[in-house]
Each structure stands twice: as structure tokens, then as C-alpha cells.
Amino acid sequence: MSGTAEHAVCAAVSTLWREPPPWDPADRPFIGDLEPLFRKDMIETQILLGEPVHVIEEYQGWSRVRAPWQPRGADSLGYPGWLPSSDIAAEASPAAQFAVVTARQTELLGTTSGTAPRFAPWAAILPAYEVGDATLRVALPGGGQAVVDRASCAVRDFPFKDAGAIGSRELLATARTMLGVQHVLGGMTEAALDCSGLVHLALRTLGVRAPREARDIFHMGRTVALGDAVGGDLLFFREPGQPIHHIGIAVAPPKVLLHAPGSGVTAVEPLTADRLRTLVDMVVRICG
């Protein structure tokens, strides 16, 4: 493997590690059991099926990569970290259209590869062929194909578009897909999700390439005074003198928030006194 963008994740989801962990990559522990490791700065994020990666080097079954669909700060190459080498394959064959998973997950049927995952997660983007009324065919990394339920996907001509092309109701409706999902730092699926992961994936599902961390998302849109906030604007939270540590989507600004709180599950709920205390007085407007 080389440092090109010609590789992609071939597992349903793969956890990105800061350093190769001290166990065999085939063990694949559930991320919910790994939250203490994230708090020790071991886990960076998760990479979804079909998401491209730049492979830099390999070491004992692990590959050091960059994840360009998850930019961080000024680094457009994306999150750096380590993935199991077995979770990486050649990018899927290109197509004229792309299928974007809009359900929490969609089953991959009739796969032509014995190693293909059983499902594609929310916000996975795959080349699409033979788009019909009931089903469509997607190309998988490594050369395989699968059939998926047409109702579980949106089909578009490009993976990403200008953020101004989406509406606030559309963003809120998309984020509501993950209501009730358990909060785990670093999570990016229905099994576990964190606050910036919720916003990042909701925007990705709608075709917007967004940073992975809340502090970087703050700089991607148009800032508006808190008093002028409307539903669909992004609200941010931080302690005085500290970086932003939480993000959510305004439902009935500035009092009601759709977010993945630091404990519990993704929910629509009124802001607590502590949230109001740390609420940043500027919001970010992504929607047109």
C-alpha cells in the first residue's frame, strides 16, 4: 500500500486509533467498551464503509492512514491514525451516481464478495448502479457489489455539494434519525455516537463535507448572534477561556437542542442551567 487516495474502508465501520493498540486487529472490540481508551487519547474517530483513506505505512497488521472526509483544523488531509489493515481495500469502482445511506443502516444483499460486511451504516456513501424503484446496486471497496433497499438511500450525482443548498428542516430531520443512540466519545454509528459525530454525519448524509471536531465546525459556516438564531443553526458550548467542547443543533433556539450529550443518548431536550452557562453567544448557520 502507498500514500495515495486509492484505498477505502471495506468494513462496515473501522475505529481509527492514535497508535496501534496492544492487541490483534482481528479482535475488533465494540467501541462502547473502548470509551476509557478514548479518554486516554487512544481512539480518534471511526471511518465508515466506502470512506477513502490515504495509506502511509503498515506495521504488524495495522495501517497508518489519513481520513480526508474528516478534516481536522487546517489539515485538509484529515484525521491521522491507525486502522486494521484488513479493513482497507482498493476503492470501489467509480459510477455516475452515488448512494448515500439515510437509514440507521441498510442490509447489503447478494454480495459478490465473501468478505463483504452485512450492512452499510448511516451516512456511508457508495457508487451506485442499476438504480430502480425498489433496489439499487452499489460497488464495494475491494471489487465487490451488493444490492440495497432503495428506500434506505438517497441517490445523487456527486458525493458532496455546497452547504448552502440544504435547508434547516432537512438538517434537523436527518439528525433525528439517530435519536436514542448511546453517547460514546469517538462513535460514528447507531451503536455509539458523540456530539460532533452526530452533526458531522448529518451534514455528510446531506452532501456537506464537514470537519469532525466541534471546534472546527465552528469555523465552517456563517456566524450569527445568538439572539438571531433559528432552528437548524449550530449551537456551541465552552467553559470560559477553554476551547469548544460540545455542539448541537438548535430546535427552538436558544432553549431547545438536538444533541448527543456527554452522558445518555441523542435527544431533543431543553438546555439545562449548566448548558446555558457555557453556551457560546454566536451560532453557526450552515443551511441556506
Side-chain angles (χ1 to χ4, degrees):
M1 293 184 182
S2 64
T4 72
E6 297 176 355
H7 299 97
V9 165
C10 57
V13 59
S14 188
T15 298
L16 186 73
W17 300 84
R18 181 159 294 182
E19 300 290 344
W23 57 72
D24 190 301
D27 288 345
R28 309 187 64 82
F30 172 60
I31 191 172
D33 299 327
L34 303 177
E35 185 177 16
L37 298 179
F38 183 95
R39 296 187 185 280
K40 295 177 182 177
D41 295 326
M42 291 186 67
I43 296 175
E44 295 283 14
T45 182
Q46 292 187 300
I47 314 296
L48 306 185
L49 175 67
E51 190 169 340
V53 291
H54 299 269
V55 179
I56 301 167
E57 64 173 311
E58 287 190 285
Y59 174 77
Q60 296 184 356
W62 296 89
S63 292
R64 186 161 69 94
V65 304
R66 305 296 292 265
W69 283 8
Q70 298 189 39
R72 183 173 67 172
D75 189 351
S76 62
L77 293 179
Y79 253 108
W82 294 80
L83 297 175
S85 297
S86 58
D87 286 357
I88 301 171
E91 277 194 302
S93 301
Q97 293 181 299
F98 295 86
V100 185
V101 179
T102 54
R104 286 195 173 190
Q105 62 173 248
T106 188
E107 188 175 4
L108 297 174
L109 303 170
T111 56
T112 59
S113 169
T115 60
R118 295 181 296 104
F119 70 91
W122 184 50
I125 301 175
L126 298 166
Y129 305 83
E130 302 174 17
V131 178
D133 293 335
T135 63
L136 58 85
R137 185 174 297 277
V138 295
L140 302 174
Q145 294 187 358
V147 174
V148 299
D149 179 6
R150 176 67 177 83
S152 69
C153 300
V155 177
R156 56 178 182 250
D157 294 334
F158 301 97
F160 297 109
K161 60 186 178 183
D162 182 77
I166 67 173
S168 58
R169 290 185 180 180
E170 195 178 13
L171 177 59
L172 282 166
T174 300
R176 286 178 185 270
T177 302
M178 301 303 264
L179 288 176
V181 173
Q182 182 66 44
H183 178 279
V184 176
L185 282 167
M188 288 273 282
T189 71
E190 66 166 347
L193 194 64
D194 65 20
C195 65
S196 57
L198 171 67
V199 175
H200 170 92
L201 290 177
L203 289 169
R204 186 193 296 193
T205 301
L206 295 173
V208 177
R209 182 174 176 263
R212 176 62 176 86
E213 295 185 359
R215 69 189 72 179
D216 298 323
I217 296 174
F218 183 77
H219 297 290
M220 73 169 289
R222 179 163 59 96
T223 54
V224 179
L226 180 61
D228 296 324
V230 298
D233 287 344
L234 303 182
L235 303 184
F236 297 83
F237 303 82
R238 65 179 167 208
E239 296 288 347
Q242 298 298 313
I244 289 168
H245 67 266
H246 188 61
I247 183 176
I249 306 171
V251 177
K255 300 292 187 181
V256 181
L257 185 70
L258 193 165
H259 67 149
S263 61
V265 299
T266 300
V268 175
E269 57 190 14
L271 293 181
T272 63
D274 188 57
R275 289 285 187 214
L276 287 170
R277 179 183 61 82
T278 59
L279 180 60
V280 175
D281 62 2
M282 299 294 290
V283 305
V284 170
R285 185 160 295 163
I286 299 292
C287 303

